[in-house]
Amino acid sequence: MVLNYIWIALVIIAVLAAFIRFCITGDAAVLNALVDSTFSSAKNGFEISLYLTGVLSLWLGIMRIGEKGGAVGALSKLVSPFFVRIFPGIPKGHKAFGSIVMNLSANMLGLDNAATPMGLRAMKEMQELNTDKETATNAQIMFLVLNTSGLTIIPISIIAYRTQCGAANPTDIFLPLLITTFFSTLAGLIATALVQRINLLHKAVLIYLGGLSAIVASLLFFIHGMEPAQVEYVSNVTSSLILLFIITSFILLALFKKVNVYEAFIDGAKEGFSTAIQIIPFLIAILVAVGLFRASGALDLFIDGIRYVVSLFASDTRFVDALPTAFMKPLSGSGARGFMIECMNTYGADSFVGRLSCLFQGAADTTFYILAVYFGSVGIKNTRHAVGCGLFADLIGIITAIIICSLFFS
């Protein structure tokens, strides 16, 4: 529903803006540019979707190997003691814990198709403990905020889009994105814990949060003071090594579990193919709307207005050009994806704006969409502090993305 209104608004504003410009200038080129953008955007959307067929098939095949080899299950066991502490409203040993851990683990590994069913199951199981069926419980809100904060270890789709848009090294945003999503998730967790009065100073919680924070702090300390070229080199090498390690460990673990690796890969690759085909109409629709919005001049006016305000307080306003992706992400993943691709096509995939738009895209998830789907699936109407905590995590993600992108790619 939200995407429907966004799409209509983009198209109507674009047409009105172009018509007003035509009435003022009398230049028919304004209208011609609007029409031409519909065809070029549709072509671009199809070409991107077609290319994604190969990339998604490859990565979802690898992910399926990891899934059948027990990588998700191993990650679930690893983080289980932590989740027990941040969901005090769920009795120890309750079946909901298994679904929660599996959902968040699948999200971190980029298994979106597997994450959603497990997330809906987790919400249903938590709803069984809910005494007020129309009001969200603390556990349900914590679960939703952790989902919307978007912690992802392997950003498969973003890497795929960067490849299609001509990035020299599509994985160079891997490490910056991991750091960015860590801070957005940490912000969402702390905000929700404060509202719900959850003790984050418990030994188990401190060990997990302290360990992750130490790793991120070490990375930032290590690159502090380096020249931009050195930082980019370290990011590229580290990202490649981590991805290669994950792929290799998935395969070795699957072999140890006596999984037919080839069949598992084919099974996942088939899902990647069908997923790429399914997104063609949605991607074309949003890219056409964004293309119209830009061709009409409405996007430039919007960006120039924000840039003027920002220039009053800061000298570096490069990040402003990527802000449409950040503004759109809480409302629509498809809409944000369209702006991200538009940024990379306009400024270059390896430009500061192109990379920052990718960080914005991966810094958080579609907050309002997730809240609508997950809460709607169990009939919850009163979401309490879920929206506020989710949007706070989004805001921290945006701020962190700007800082991290400046640090890595300045």
Side-chain angles (χ1 to χ4, degrees):
M1 184 63 70
V2 173
L3 184 57
N4 174 55
Y5 293 134
I6 292 173
W7 195 86
I8 292 173
L10 288 175
V11 173
I12 291 178
I13 292 174
V15 173
L16 288 177
F19 182 73
I20 292 173
R21 288 178 61 195
F22 171 71
C23 291
I24 294 175
T25 64
D27 187 359
V30 174
L31 301 179
N32 292 335
L34 202 65
V35 174
D36 291 341
S37 71
T38 60
F39 294 104
S40 61
S41 298
K43 178 183 178 183
N44 188 34
F46 178 76
E47 290 176 346
I48 290 174
S49 300
L50 190 62
Y51 177 80
L52 281 177
T53 303
V55 178
L56 286 178
S57 295
L58 168 65
W59 278 102
L60 287 180
I62 293 172
M63 287 299 140
R64 184 57 57 87
I65 293 173
E67 185 181 9
K68 290 190 174 182
V72 176
L75 185 58
S76 298
K77 292 180 181 179
L78 180 64
V79 300
S80 181
F82 171 70
F83 285 129
V84 169
R85 299 298 175 183
I86 64 174
F87 293 102
I90 303 177
K92 189 174 182 179
H94 193 273
K95 58 184 178 180
F97 277 120
S99 300
I100 291 172
V101 174
M102 292 295 286
N103 165 265
L104 296 177
S105 299
N107 272 328
M108 287 189 286
L109 292 173
L111 300 170
D112 295 335
N113 292 334
T116 300
M118 287 186 285
L120 294 175
R121 184 174 65 187
M123 187 61 65
K124 182 179 179 181
E125 291 168 349
M126 284 186 284
Q127 184 70 350
E128 296 175 1
L129 301 171
N130 192 357
T131 56
D132 185 352
K133 300 301 182 182
E134 292 189 356
T135 302
T137 64
N138 285 348
Q140 288 173 320
I141 293 173
M142 177 65 79
F143 175 65
L144 264 294
V145 173
L146 291 178
N147 262 272
T148 60
S149 64
L151 180 61
T152 303
I153 296 177
I154 308 177
I156 296 175
S157 61
I158 295 179
I159 291 174
Y161 287 120
R162 284 184 52 74
T163 304
Q164 169 62 16
C165 291
N169 183 2
T171 63
D172 60 7
I173 50 87
F174 176 85
L175 187 58
L177 185 54
L178 181 61
I179 296 173
T180 301
T181 57
F182 168 77
F183 278 106
S184 64
T185 301
L186 184 62
L189 172 64
I190 293 175
T192 308
L194 288 175
V195 174
Q196 297 180 2
R197 297 181 179 178
I198 295 175
N199 181 19
L200 294 181
L201 299 179
H202 188 278
K203 181 179 179 181
V205 176
L206 290 177
I207 290 175
Y208 279 87
L209 292 183
L212 290 174
S213 299
I215 293 173
V216 173
S218 299
L219 289 172
L220 293 176
F221 178 78
F222 177 69
I223 65 173
H224 178 69
M226 287 186 177
E227 295 295 329
Q230 289 178 302
V231 173
E232 187 170 342
Y233 173 77
V234 170
S235 177
N236 291 342
V237 172
T238 304
S239 300
S240 298
L241 289 176
I242 293 176
L243 287 174
L244 289 174
F245 170 77
I246 291 173
I247 294 171
T248 304
S249 61
F250 279 10
I251 295 175
L252 292 177
L253 184 59
L255 287 174
F256 179 76
K257 293 291 184 67
K258 297 182 180 180
V259 173
N260 189 319
V261 176
Y262 179 77
E263 288 187 0
F265 178 84
I266 296 300
D267 186 36
K270 289 179 181 178
E271 184 179 339
F273 180 83
S274 61
T275 301
I277 298 302
Q278 289 172 2
I279 69 172
I280 290 178
F282 301 99
L283 189 56
I284 289 177
I286 195 64
L287 285 181
V288 167
V290 172
L292 288 172
F293 195 63
R294 176 176 289 279
S296 67
L299 180 60
D300 293 333
L301 289 175
F302 175 69
I303 293 299
D304 288 342
I306 297 178
R307 182 179 288 106
Y308 173 76
V309 174
V310 172
S311 66
L312 299 177
F313 306 95
S315 58
D316 188 356
T317 61
R318 291 178 300 166
F319 69 90
V320 173
D321 292 304
L323 283 180
T325 304
F327 293 155
M328 184 65 69
K329 191 58 193 285
L331 300 171
S332 166
S334 299
R337 187 183 303 117
F339 278 112
M340 176 187 71
I341 294 172
E342 182 73 12
C343 282
M344 287 193 287
N345 286 336
T346 302
Y347 300 97
D350 291 327
S351 66
F352 179 84
V353 175
R355 284 164 166 157
L356 180 58
S357 66
C358 292
L359 295 189
F360 283 153
Q361 173 71 5
D365 216 323
T366 48
T367 301
F368 289 103
Y369 173 79
I370 290 177
L371 291 174
V373 172
Y374 279 40
F375 280 147
S377 67
V378 292
I380 288 177
K381 297 179 181 178
N382 183 6
T383 61
R384 299 170 62 208
H385 50 278
V387 175
C389 292
L391 291 179
F392 176 74
D394 293 344
L395 176 62
I396 297 301
I398 292 172
I399 296 173
T400 305
I402 296 172
I403 296 173
I404 295 298
C405 194
S406 299
L407 183 61
F408 276 82
F409 307 116
S410 60

